Amino acid sequence: MIESRNDVLVARYEKSWVGGPDHSQVPAHARILHGGRFRDRFMPSVRERQPRVETGNFLYGGPLKVHFGHIMVDSIIRLWAFDPVRHDQVVFAKLQETRGITDWISEILSLFGVKQEHVRLVNGVAAFERMEFAEPGSRLASGPSAAHLDYLDGLPLSRTTGTPKKVYFGRTHMIAKGTILGESHWAAALESNGYTCVVPERMTIHEQTSVLRNAESVVFLEGSSIYSIELLSKIAAPVFMIPRRAATGHLFAPHIAPRTSFTVLGDPETIVRRLTAKGAGGPSSPSYSLNPEDLHDDMVAKGLIRGSFSMSAYREAERADAATYFASQPEIGEAQLADIEQVRAGQGARTISTR
């Protein structure tokens, strides 16, 4: 479904998610819908500004943030409707900190026929003479429609050969950006059982999707790395997720389960998060497993790894990861590790704190 509107006002996002198209002018499906509710706000004061007027017919692309996960679940979900004959450009309302289109974003957009000259980034406020709003083919925590999966089969993705059969998408190369401290233990265990740790940031989107299409088994640490699956209608490999937050399987299941089998490993409710060295929460804050042996046993039961669990080896990996994460303030890392040990012993509280 595609709906058209005239004289549509669009503002950049000053922060997540304040900005975008004027809510009074657009269909509901043009807004930011995460987890079944709207997350965006449009400030009425924007209407008092003098916008730049753009003539022509435009397709609304959505928000644009230079972040792989957001690009895959927010910025490409309407591009199935792009027609270079009908549309002058695709309009993206960029987030304040976003400077422009990177090479890897251009590569993804090109799969939908969107070239650099087709992109219009709103860096302030602009009014568009005519704008079309396509219903998203996929939504975060809702997943793709059947029609969208059929559409994806026609994407011009090249398939490379020689990729590993057992794949682990981890975060050990970016511990400072948030992971479950102790992840290096699981990465080593998987590697010793034939898995290859891949770094998607070093791959083209064609290589990333080839890895998924060619694999026989995929394990990933909860995060954006798996979202290249958004470009595929199906894969043969079962997908297993190591959680780093409690109760987040519902975010990934709607996207993965329509394409292949999906399993959350261990008990996500035994994961706790702590604050960063700067006292902040959010995606980059560290997580800890209160019962790593349970996760180990589940991975053994699923045939992913073999052998017995060593708590001392896990603590060593956890401490090494914490040293990397808290490199600038190691005393906070030491305090958090001590707190986690108290929680494991039943003496601490499972609350977010720096201690």
Side-chain angles (χ1 to χ4, degrees):
M1 182 176 68
I2 302 174
E3 300 182 52
S4 297
R5 299 288 191 274
N6 295 326
D7 303 318
V8 177
L9 190 67
V10 180
R12 77 173 181 184
Y13 286 96
E14 299 297 330
K15 55 184 177 180
S16 302
W17 297 100
V18 180
D22 188 337
H23 296 169
S24 68
Q25 297 178 292
V26 302
H29 60 68
R31 297 183 56 188
I32 303 294
L33 183 67
H34 287 177
R37 64 187 181 92
F38 293 121
R39 300 295 181 93
D40 55 346
R41 291 188 295 133
F42 187 85
M43 305 302 290
S45 59
V46 172
R47 301 188 185 108
E48 301 171 3
R49 298 165 61 178
Q50 295 296 317
R52 175 177 175 176
V53 179
E54 303 278 6
T55 59
N57 186 39
F58 300 85
L59 177 69
Y60 182 63
L64 191 137
K65 180 178 182 179
V66 181
H67 178 282
F68 185 73
H70 281 289
I71 293 293
M72 302 306 285
V73 300
D74 292 323
S75 304
I76 66 170
I77 56 178
R78 300 172 178 87
L79 297 185
W80 62 266
F82 176 67
D83 182 346
V85 175
R86 189 170 81 241
H87 301 121
D88 292 287
Q89 288 181 304
V90 180
V91 175
F92 294 100
K94 75 172 195 172
L95 269 75
Q96 186 177 28
E97 69 272 19
T98 297
R99 295 183 178 180
I101 301 293
T102 64
D103 289 344
W104 64 265
I105 294 178
S106 291
E107 181 184 52
I108 293 171
L109 296 182
S110 70
L111 298 174
F112 300 86
V114 179
K115 300 178 182 179
Q116 186 74 32
E117 60 266 28
H118 295 140
V119 176
R120 170 66 166 90
L121 289 181
V122 177
N123 189 36
V125 180
F128 296 89
E129 180 183 28
R130 180 178 175 84
M131 183 170 284
E132 296 185 1
F133 295 88
E135 188 168 3
S138 182
R139 285 280 201 179
L140 182 64
S142 297
S145 66
H148 189 63
L149 290 176
D150 290 340
Y151 166 82
L152 294 175
D153 281 332
L155 290 184
L157 285 164
S158 61
R159 188 169 182 173
T160 59
T161 59
T163 57
K165 295 301 182 183
K166 299 168 74 173
V167 180
Y168 175 56
F169 289 93
R171 297 175 66 89
T172 55
H173 62 289
M174 51 189 295
I175 288 176
K177 292 186 177 181
T179 186
I180 183 166
L181 301 188
E183 185 204 347
S184 57
H185 178 88
W186 308 121
L190 287 164
E191 282 189 301
S192 67
N193 284 274
Y195 281 79
T196 298
C197 295
V198 299
V199 180
E201 292 88 346
R202 300 173 188 166
M203 299 177 173
T204 68
I205 197 63
H206 300 276
E207 291 169 334
Q208 291 182 50
T209 52
S210 292
V211 165
L212 290 174
R213 294 165 82 181
N214 298 340
E216 295 176 355
S217 177
V218 176
V219 181
F220 76 102
L221 187 85
E222 179 195 333
S224 298
S225 62
I226 197 63
Y227 279 131
S228 54
I229 203 172
E230 285 291 287
L231 297 173
L232 302 171
S233 64
K234 60 184 177 296
I235 65 172
V239 174
F240 303 88
M241 184 181 84
I242 299 174
R244 64 184 179 106
R245 292 174 291 180
T248 53
H250 72 284
L251 290 177
F252 294 87
H255 297 269
I256 300 173
R259 296 167 163 100
T260 188
S261 66
F262 172 63
T263 303
V264 178
L265 295 167
D267 180 4
E269 295 303 316
T270 64
I271 305 296
V272 297
R273 302 192 79 176
R274 294 294 186 256
L275 301 182
T276 67
K278 295 181 179 180
S284 63
S285 61
S287 298
Y288 298 85
S289 173
L290 297 182
N291 188 0
E293 186 171 6
D294 176 67
L295 176 57
H296 170 92
D297 291 346
D298 198 16
M299 293 173 75
V300 170
K302 301 293 191 301
L304 304 177
I305 62 174
R306 298 181 298 274
S308 58
F309 179 73
S310 169
M311 190 63 186
S312 61
Y314 185 80
R315 287 193 179 100
E316 183 178 345
E318 190 176 53
R319 185 167 296 278
D321 291 350
T324 299
Y325 185 87
F326 293 104
S328 61
Q329 292 181 276
E331 69 280 2
I332 294 181
E334 291 293 333
Q336 285 194 10
L337 288 171
D339 173 65
I340 291 300
E341 284 303 313
Q342 288 186 325
V343 176
R344 285 176 179 148
Q347 301 171 8
R350 290 173 59 174
T351 57
I352 295 178
S353 70
T354 55
R355 302 301 181 195

